[in-house]
Amino acid sequence: MCTGGLTNGGISRAGFEWAIRLLVLASLAAHIFLAFFAGFRRRQRSGVTTVILWLAYLFTDWAAPYAIGKLPFGSALREQQLVALWIPFLLSHLGGPDNITAFSFEDNKLSLRKAGNTLFHLLGTISSVYKQVDIGGSNRALLWASYFMISVGAIKYIEKAWALRVANFGKIRKAAKNNLPTSIRIQLHRHGKELNDEEALLVAHSLLHITKGAFADYSVRKGPFRSNQTLREVFNVQQENNNTGWLNMCKVVEMELSLMYDILYTKAAKIQTCLISYVIRIVSPVTTATMAMLFWYSSKAAQRGVDVIITYILLMVTFCLDVRWLLRVTASTWTYAFFNNAKRESWLKHEVLCTGRWHRIRRLIVSLDPRQLLLRQQRGNYRLWTGVIGKYNLLDECIHDTDKDIYSQLLKLVIRSEDTLTEYKYSRGYKLGTLGTRECLRELLFEQIKRALGKAYPRHKVIQTEMPAPGHPPPPKAGVEGEYDYSQTQQSTHLLDVALGFVPELQELILILHVATDVFLVDMSNKVKLVSDKEMLYKEAIEAMSNYMAFLAAARPEMLPGLDLRSLFKGTCRKLHEIWENESAKTSSKHILAHTLQQVERNRRKNGDQRSTGEGDGRRFVLSEGVMIADVLIWAMQGNKLVSYEDIIPWLEIRPQGEDDKDFEKRKDRVFFLLQLLLPDLKMGLNKTYPICELLELILESWVRLLINVSTRCGRDSHAKQLGRGCELTTIVWILSHHASVFSI
């Protein structure tokens, strides 16, 4: 080995060669890590694993091209030829494993740039192999095996660029025009029962056009779906006290979203819609094994031992991964769907679908999965939603001041982005439980979602309506926080809303109802003792939904339609913090803070302060209007007399400020407007006494209504981005609404 001389700006040749060797091994390690752990993104929102996956993804895209450009090295021709055999493996690393193509949704939008990079990398690779292997002679069989492996790696690399290209919504919409189903084939052995994970996944493949149509914004013909007898049985919920059809629909929707993740972020969907990809998966392990045998029997004289060992490592690991991908493709339900959707009948299609052989092969292959052997997880369970939602509470954050604890300070040193830090801290707030389990929080929430969707899509009559998006002129763009007083912008915008009767932004409504819910529940706990399990479950569900929607406003405003009113959220937090410091003596009790807020706002109204309706201080109107909504609910909870809707204003002590107060009617209309938006069912039953259980149900229905509104009006790109970071409840509700419009509920 030559150790003299300098290369690359002063680095010794020996050191440079060892650096390249370590780089090749590191590229292999990153490739292995992606192959085994990339699927975690399907269910996990954030955390250490996600960060490492991101680093591995970036490292592979950089390391492989760099190493290819520096290979081969060595003083002897045979050494150069040996090291040049590493190029096919590095090219395979560039192609990436089958379970990840894009790390973020934006990668799909840059697919054209990726295609250009792919072309130049392939040209450079071909040039390197020709110069270093072909010239000077070598083992011709090994040479041809190397060329064949380069061809396989090149196709895998092209597959990645192609998968990114076709994952664009425009391409999906264009391809759908020629592939919309005219009939649906579904083969189930159990009818009228709850689907297991395997059956739900196969049904999801058949209904995937509904979800793809929602994401890519194209119309789906509903006739083939509605006319299918099997689907009518699967989603039948007409029978009284039979919730099986709804449970099946929820499970199928979760599976469809998992398949949509495959389309947007992996090669799976593209591989199994192209016959050449199947051929490559079969040929690849055969080629690698052939090259390993030829290398085993070839002469290794004048070759360095460390390079020989690295070559064996590359060959063995690549062969094992190739076998793994072949088995995954064979057992994948995408393969079943490929043959199921084939228009022409053939003996192969008959063997796959009709004889049951594919199902037996799949069961055999899946049984070899470590999760089956060690963890006893059910097949397909990894595709289901985790049932975890975020949790953020304004009052809790104010009194606990979590930003100053040691854990938060350490996180700030690692996570510099405030938005990312908030999302990481609060994304695992509630575990809703398993759907289908009675007395379960998730069961109650989804039952309320079903009832709400049923009002628009009843079984006996499918009504198709589209509510226009509320008109709302955008406020002037604010500057960088700390350089501009956000409250001035929010104050002027809010004055315009009140004066012209504009519909408030959804983020504003969420914060108002969130404050109202907290204040009401605190007051209720002081006056009423919940005795039944149903009442306590309703209370828990209300808290979960209120804190979840506040979490979206605080950590994921991109999942909310309309303007990102981050300044409104932060201004509300600051104002609440001022009340905590000035009025509550910095109590650590959420109940005392809520009671203090309630008294402060009542005193403001009693003293005739117009700002209690939100017309003054732009940072305070959320708290003021939230307390007003809470007071109306408390009034309904008391039930000591029959009251009318018109009595609300005197009860809230909102009075005109003199005879010439021209804004009194606007302030009064604003209160009625908010009640109509947030608690529309209250008006119908206010002239009666409300049992506490009915009142809790009314509040929960209001939160569910707001959840559906947010879900169906959130941007498609936001839903798609969130699929790559763990599925979101709002995305599930959105796709459920599309299925409800097709099948009714």
Side-chain angles (χ1 to χ4, degrees):
M1 178 188 300
C2 178
T3 58
L6 297 176
T7 62
N8 290 354
I11 301 176
S12 67
R13 176 176 294 276
F16 173 72
E17 292 177 358
W18 273 105
I20 295 298
R21 292 187 185 102
L22 293 176
L23 190 65
V24 171
L25 292 176
S27 177
L28 176 65
H31 185 75
I32 295 172
F33 186 83
L34 288 173
F36 283 94
F37 297 103
F40 276 52
R41 297 173 59 240
R42 192 190 302 271
R43 294 162 63 88
Q44 188 169 327
R45 305 168 189 271
S46 58
V48 177
T49 304
T50 303
V51 174
I52 298 176
L53 282 171
W54 175 65
L55 293 174
Y57 180 83
L58 294 180
F59 180 78
T60 302
D61 271 358
W62 168 82
Y66 181 83
I68 289 175
K70 299 300 180 181
L71 287 177
F73 53 77
S75 57
L77 181 62
R78 293 185 64 85
E79 293 176 349
Q80 295 178 358
Q81 291 171 345
L82 172 61
V83 176
L85 294 179
W86 298 354
I87 291 179
F89 303 105
L90 292 171
L91 192 60
S92 178
H93 298 170
L94 267 178
D98 291 353
N99 58 348
I100 182 171
T101 53
F103 192 86
S104 65
F105 183 67
E106 286 76 8
D107 292 335
N108 296 321
K109 295 184 177 182
L110 298 175
S111 57
L112 193 59
R113 180 188 299 179
K114 184 68 177 179
N117 291 339
T118 301
L119 177 62
F120 287 117
H121 286 158
L122 290 178
L123 291 176
T125 301
I126 293 172
S127 174
S128 296
V129 173
Y130 176 76
K131 288 180 180 180
Q132 302 297 337
V133 179
D134 200 23
I135 297 176
S138 66
N139 186 325
R140 305 306 297 179
L142 194 61
L143 171 64
W144 283 108
S146 177
Y147 276 140
F148 211 83
M149 282 197 67
I150 288 176
S151 300
V152 172
I155 293 177
K156 289 183 180 181
Y157 192 21
I158 294 172
E159 276 181 347
K160 180 179 179 178
W162 189 16
L164 288 170
R165 187 69 177 153
V166 298
N168 181 277
F169 285 159
K171 295 292 183 180
I172 294 175
R173 184 164 52 250
K174 183 177 180 181
K177 293 181 180 179
N178 301 322
N179 294 319
L180 287 176
T182 56
S183 61
I184 307 297
R185 299 184 182 185
I186 298 179
Q187 300 178 3
L188 296 178
H189 301 291
R190 305 183 309 161
H191 294 278
K193 297 182 179 180
E194 184 178 348
L195 299 176
N196 59 33
D197 294 345
E198 193 83 0
E199 293 169 333
L201 184 54
L202 295 179
V203 173
H205 275 286
S206 301
L207 303 184
L208 189 55
H209 267 295
I210 299 176
T211 296
K212 289 169 66 176
F215 275 94
D217 190 22
Y218 65 83
S219 299
V220 177
R221 291 191 295 269
K222 300 177 181 179
F225 298 104
R226 290 177 176 172
S227 61
N228 187 279
Q229 179 62 30
T230 303
L231 287 178
R232 289 204 302 269
E233 293 181 4
V234 166
F235 298 140
N236 178 25
V237 293
Q238 282 184 305
Q239 300 178 16
E240 189 175 356
N241 298 325
N242 183 5
N243 212 29
T244 301
W246 174 245
L247 296 178
N248 287 339
M249 184 177 291
C250 293
K251 181 176 286 189
V252 168
V253 163
E254 292 179 24
M255 292 293 187
E256 286 181 47
L257 288 172
S258 178
L259 296 176
M260 197 67 201
Y261 170 89
D262 288 347
I263 293 174
L264 297 178
Y265 296 103
T266 77
K267 294 181 184 178
K270 185 75 289 183
I271 288 173
Q272 284 134 68
T273 55
C274 180
L275 192 58
I276 191 172
S277 296
Y278 287 99
V279 175
I280 289 298
R281 290 323 177 272
I282 297 173
V283 169
S284 184
V286 175
T287 303
T288 306
T290 302
M291 189 170 182
M293 294 298 296
L294 291 173
F295 182 71
W296 176 268
Y297 288 108
S298 64
S299 173
K300 300 174 185 61
Q303 294 175 354
R304 286 169 288 192
V306 63
D307 294 336
V308 173
I309 293 174
I310 291 176
T311 305
Y312 276 126
I313 292 174
L314 290 171
L315 285 166
M316 293 299 101
V317 172
T318 302
F319 174 75
C320 292
L321 289 177
D322 285 344
V323 172
R324 182 175 187 261
W325 299 132
L326 176 60
L327 293 176
R328 283 174 65 98
V329 168
T330 304
S332 173
T333 53
W334 282 104
T335 301
Y336 182 88
F338 174 76
F339 288 102
N340 192 38
N341 296 331
K343 297 181 179 180
R344 294 183 179 181
E345 296 291 338
S346 65
W347 69 269
L348 184 57
K349 180 177 180 179
H350 174 78
E351 291 295 320
V352 171
L353 300 181
C354 301
T355 63
R357 292 177 182 173
W358 178 85
H359 291 280
R360 291 193 292 271
I361 293 174
R362 172 172 166 79
R363 284 194 294 269
L364 175 62
I365 293 175
V366 172
S367 65
L368 301 177
D369 192 316
R371 287 171 300 192
Q372 288 280 346
L373 298 174
L374 301 177
L375 304 179
R376 302 295 181 184
Q377 289 186 355
Q378 295 182 2
R379 296 193 305 272
N381 184 267
Y382 71 98
R383 288 185 174 273
L384 293 175
W385 180 48
T386 59
V388 176
I389 60 175
K391 175 185 178 182
Y392 188 96
N393 188 276
L394 283 174
L395 272 65
D396 281 336
E397 289 305 304
C398 180
I399 61 176
H400 294 146
D401 203 10
T402 56
D403 287 341
K404 295 183 180 180
D405 60 42
I406 297 178
Y407 176 71
S408 297
Q409 294 298 323
L410 290 175
L411 279 179
K412 284 184 178 180
L413 295 176
V414 179
I415 306 175
R416 307 302 299 176
S417 170
E418 183 179 352
D419 295 341
T420 304
L421 178 63
T422 303
E423 183 175 10
Y424 178 77
K425 287 173 63 177
Y426 302 105
S427 61
R428 296 178 180 86
Y430 283 103
K431 175 68 174 179
L432 297 182
T434 304
L435 196 62
T437 304
R438 292 299 174 185
E439 303 303 326
C440 169
L441 187 60
R442 186 173 176 184
E443 181 79 11
L444 176 60
L445 288 176
F446 275 76
E447 180 63 27
Q448 293 293 327
I449 293 170
K450 170 190 169 185
R451 289 174 57 183
L453 292 176
K455 295 178 181 179
Y457 309 111
R459 169 87 38 190
H460 64 277
K461 183 180 180 181
V462 177
I463 304 174
Q464 300 203 13
T465 58
E466 291 187 5
M467 296 180 63
H472 196 301
K477 291 184 178 180
V480 180
E481 186 178 0
E483 300 177 359
Y484 186 79
D485 186 1
Y486 286 101
S487 64
Q488 297 299 321
T489 299
Q490 292 304 322
Q491 176 182 346
S492 60
T493 302
H494 187 69
L495 285 172
L496 188 63
D497 292 350
V498 175
L500 301 184
F502 290 159
V503 177
E505 290 289 345
L506 281 170
Q507 188 170 345
E508 180 182 335
L509 292 176
I510 288 170
L511 293 178
I512 292 172
L513 189 56
H514 176 69
V515 172
T517 298
D518 269 3
V519 173
F520 169 76
L521 291 179
V522 167
D523 193 275
M524 181 194 71
S525 64
N526 294 330
K527 298 176 180 178
V528 179
K529 183 177 181 180
L530 302 181
V531 293
S532 68
D533 292 340
K534 185 177 182 180
E535 291 173 349
M536 289 186 286
L537 187 60
Y538 271 119
K539 179 178 180 292
E540 184 182 357
I542 291 170
E543 290 176 337
M545 289 306 303
S546 175
N547 293 335
Y548 170 65
M549 298 297 280
F551 164 76
L552 294 181
R556 294 200 180 117
E558 70 276 3
M559 297 302 295
L560 301 177
L563 298 175
D564 180 359
L565 303 181
R566 198 175 299 268
S567 58
L568 173 64
F569 173 79
K570 292 182 178 179
T572 303
C573 292
R574 287 195 298 268
K575 203 64 182 179
L576 185 60
H577 194 78
E578 289 176 13
I579 295 174
W580 174 66
E581 288 187 329
N582 299 332
E583 306 288 344
S584 300
K586 293 189 176 182
T587 176
S588 60
S589 170
K590 174 182 174 181
H591 285 64
I592 296 178
L593 176 58
H595 179 72
T596 302
L597 173 63
Q598 188 180 29
Q599 292 303 316
V600 167
E601 294 303 328
R602 284 179 175 177
N603 290 336
R604 286 162 60 86
R605 295 199 303 266
K606 187 176 181 180
N607 296 331
D609 191 342
Q610 291 185 7
R611 290 181 296 175
S612 63
T613 60
E615 293 192 49
D617 190 341
R619 296 170 295 174
R620 193 182 193 108
F621 69 85
V622 168
L623 300 177
S624 300
E625 293 175 342
V627 172
M628 281 193 293
I629 300 297
D631 282 344
V632 173
L633 291 170
I634 293 168
W635 184 36
M637 177 183 66
Q638 292 176 353
N640 51 12
K641 62 178 181 177
L642 298 179
V643 292
S644 65
Y645 205 66
E646 289 72 19
D647 293 332
I648 290 176
I649 299 301
W651 168 265
L652 294 175
E653 297 185 295
I654 300 176
R655 304 183 182 92
Q657 308 300 308
E659 296 180 356
D660 58 345
D661 187 359
K662 299 179 180 179
D663 294 330
F664 172 69
E665 291 298 326
K666 294 179 181 178
R667 297 198 305 273
K668 184 175 68 172
D669 291 343
R670 172 74 177 184
V671 175
F672 290 139
F673 191 48
L674 289 174
L675 286 171
Q676 185 63 32
L677 286 173
L678 296 175
L679 301 166
D681 296 334
L682 183 65
K683 184 176 182 179
M684 296 182 293
L686 198 58
N687 294 325
K688 70 172 186 178
T689 57
Y690 261 102
I692 189 62
C693 189
E694 289 186 20
L695 193 58
L696 290 174
E697 185 175 4
L698 182 146
I699 299 172
L700 180 58
E701 288 175 354
S702 298
W703 274 117
V704 169
R705 183 185 293 106
L706 202 53
L707 170 67
I708 295 174
N709 198 358
V710 164
S711 302
T712 55
R713 281 163 175 73
C714 176
R716 293 177 174 85
D717 282 8
S718 296
H719 283 299
K721 291 175 185 177
Q722 193 56 42
L723 275 184
R725 300 184 297 166
C727 189
E728 191 66 75
L729 174 60
T730 53
T731 307
I732 293 175
V733 173
W734 175 49
I735 301 301
L736 276 174
S737 69
H738 280 270
H739 284 68
S741 69
V742 174
F743 299 105
S744 306
I745 58 175

